[in-house]
Amino acid sequence: LIAFAAVAIASCGGLATHPGGGAGAGGRSSSGGASGSGGTSGSGGTSGSGGSEGVAGQHDSGGADASFCPSNSGLVTLASGQVAMSAIAVSSTHVYWIAQGSSVMPATLMMVPINGGTPVALVTGGNLSSGLALNATNVFWNNADGASTMPLDGGTPTVVVTGQLSYHLAIDSRNVYLTDNGLGTVVKAPLAGGVATTLASEAYTADLAADSENVYFTAQGGVFTTPIAGGSTRLLASGGANLIAVDDSNVYSTTGASVTQVPKSGGKVITLAKSCGFSQGIAVDGSSVYWAEWGPCAPMCMTPVGSIVKVPIGGGAPVTLACSQALPTAVAVDASNVYWVNNGDGTVMKLTHK
């Protein structure tokens, strides 16, 4: 995602606020300042088969065309001057994000109070990647060699697991889950650190999410699920898939120019929204699915070219919450607000969505 953003920015003089050299998570191999170690062993998970049944509920989300623009009233800029942001997460008190930096600016793991204030760097340096997750006490992130953690308010990083070419992660109450894009695997390791176990193998594994029983992930063939306890991997939805989010019932994914929904148990794939733009980060709450998109059909040199959109779970008319955003990518949501990062101008944004 960040690599694609950098290509767009490099081709358009109007988006030159994103310094070169900060694109891409590939090739990053360690997290600066982290201590501890973990290994990788074992195997598990064999590829299964499944599929999708039809498509329903398609809607044009309208994209970032000015004719679809709301007033953008209520937008709050929480931070600026960030470079190559790849992930965002929110707790009850703070917003966290990863800025991968550039050749002249180190990567950082940042936080800022949820109602605004001074951003604080929790980690500076190292090869931070695109995965970020929170629980009640800790923040977890990954790099090109594994995953690390520290307390939510900062401290000494501790390595959870190593040996994974990892760009995305998820957590539950017991484990951290990683995709290794190079090996095409999904692995788990104890939150406290330890040996990783392979759960599934698919070509070009990417984003993932977890519940109490299963891990859900995207790979070259579509959206898959595999049991946390080990077992067969099943295909839930075929075709291209990029980033995902889950709730109690469904898996939601961005698939290029569309946003889809499929039951966790498998079944009909619903296309919630389609546009001629490019769908980016995705998040879900109890009633709606939220995502960032670029478009519609605008050349990348037209600035800004991004929107934040939501649609009801199950289908309905998409609503553009914010437009004229500069290449929005990662998205997070809580009970009242939606948060996102704009890589075109280096800002972290907040907007009340109710």
Side-chain angles (χ1 to χ4, degrees), residues 37-49:
S37 62
T40 304
S41 68
S43 63
T46 57
S47 299
S49 63

Side-chain angles (χ1 to χ4, degrees), residues 55 94 171 201:
V55 179
H94 287 81
I171 61 172
S201 297

Side-chain angles (χ1 to χ4, degrees), residues 207-228:
D207 198 18
L208 75 168
D211 60 20
S212 61
E213 296 182 355
N214 298 288
V215 178
Y216 308 85
F217 63 96
T218 59
Q220 186 177 48
V223 179
F224 297 83
T225 182
T226 195
I228 290 171

Side-chain angles (χ1 to χ4, degrees), residues 10-170:
S11 66
C12 307
L15 289 183
T17 55
H18 188 138
R28 301 180 182 275
S29 62
S30 66
S31 178
S35 61
S37 62
T40 304
S41 68
S43 63
T46 57
S47 299
S49 63
S52 59
E53 302 175 2
V55 179
Q58 295 187 15
H59 295 276
D60 184 352
S61 65
D65 188 355
S67 64
F68 294 91
C69 264
S71 65
N72 278 352
S73 63
L75 281 175
V76 177
T77 301
L78 295 174
S80 60
Q82 305 299 300
V83 177
M85 292 173 288
S86 59
I88 189 169
V90 59
S91 72
S92 60
T93 60
H94 287 81
V95 179
Y96 300 78
W97 68 94
I98 289 173
Q100 293 180 317
S102 70
S103 59
V104 297
M105 184 176 293
T108 53
L109 170 60
M110 304 290 296
M111 75 171 184
V112 69
I114 205 168
N115 292 318
T118 302
V120 174
L122 298 176
V123 175
T124 301
N127 295 316
L128 306 180
S129 191
S130 303
L132 185 62
L134 313 176
N135 63 16
T137 61
N138 278 48
V139 54
F140 296 80
W141 67 95
N142 63 353
N143 49 60
D145 190 47
S148 298
T149 185
M150 67 164 51
L152 288 174
D153 57 356
T156 301
T158 301
V159 169
V160 178
V161 63
T162 61
Q164 308 297 314
L165 184 61
S166 172
Y167 301 141
H168 298 277
L169 63 75

Side-chain angles (χ1 to χ4, degrees), residues 60-69 257 274-279 293-300 302 304-307 309 320 323-325:
D60 184 352
S61 65
D65 188 355
S67 64
F68 294 91
C69 264
K274 298 192 73 171
S275 79
C276 53
F278 187 82
S279 302
E293 68 175 33
W294 303 345
C297 301
M300 285 300 175
M302 294 178 62
V305 289
S307 299
V309 188
T320 300
C323 62
S324 299
Q325 300 301 295

Side-chain angles (χ1 to χ4, degrees), residues 106-353:
T108 53
L109 170 60
M110 304 290 296
M111 75 171 184
V112 69
I114 205 168
N115 292 318
T118 302
V120 174
L122 298 176
V123 175
T124 301
N127 295 316
L128 306 180
S129 191
S130 303
L132 185 62
L134 313 176
N135 63 16
T137 61
N138 278 48
V139 54
F140 296 80
W141 67 95
N142 63 353
N143 49 60
D145 190 47
S148 298
T149 185
M150 67 164 51
L152 288 174
D153 57 356
T156 301
T158 301
V159 169
V160 178
V161 63
T162 61
Q164 308 297 314
L165 184 61
S166 172
Y167 301 141
H168 298 277
L169 63 75
I171 61 172
D172 62 14
S173 61
R174 299 162 294 174
N175 301 305
V176 60
Y177 305 92
L178 305 170
T179 52
D180 187 319
N181 183 265
L183 296 176
T185 56
V186 178
V187 305
K188 70 176 180 180
L191 286 181
V195 175
T197 302
T198 299
L199 297 176
S201 297
E202 295 288 341
Y204 301 109
T205 51
D207 198 18
L208 75 168
D211 60 20
S212 61
E213 296 182 355
N214 298 288
V215 178
Y216 308 85
F217 63 96
T218 59
Q220 186 177 48
V223 179
F224 297 83
T225 182
T226 195
I228 290 171
S232 297
T233 298
R234 294 188 299 116
L235 177 66
L236 296 178
S238 60
N242 190 7
L243 302 179
I244 64 172
V246 300
D247 61 13
D248 290 342
S249 301
N250 301 300
V251 182
Y252 309 89
S253 64
T254 55
T255 57
S258 64
V259 177
T260 64
Q261 169 185 322
V262 63
K264 285 182 171 179
S265 57
K268 180 179 291 187
V269 179
I270 300 173
T271 300
L272 298 174
K274 298 192 73 171
S275 79
C276 53
F278 187 82
S279 302
Q280 290 276 315
I282 188 168
V284 63
D285 63 13
S287 60
S288 299
V289 182
Y290 304 77
W291 72 96
E293 68 175 33
W294 303 345
C297 301
M300 285 300 175
C301 55
M302 294 178 62
T303 58
V305 289
S307 299
I308 304 299
V309 188
K310 75 172 181 178
V311 69
I313 292 172
V319 175
T320 300
L321 299 174
C323 62
S324 299
Q325 300 301 295
L327 300 179
T329 50
V331 175
V333 66
D334 62 17
S336 301
N337 304 295
V338 58
Y339 309 83
W340 67 94
V341 296
N342 284 329
N343 272 307
D345 61 9
T347 55
V348 179
M349 306 300 296
K350 168 185 170 182
L351 177 68
T352 299
H353 60 72

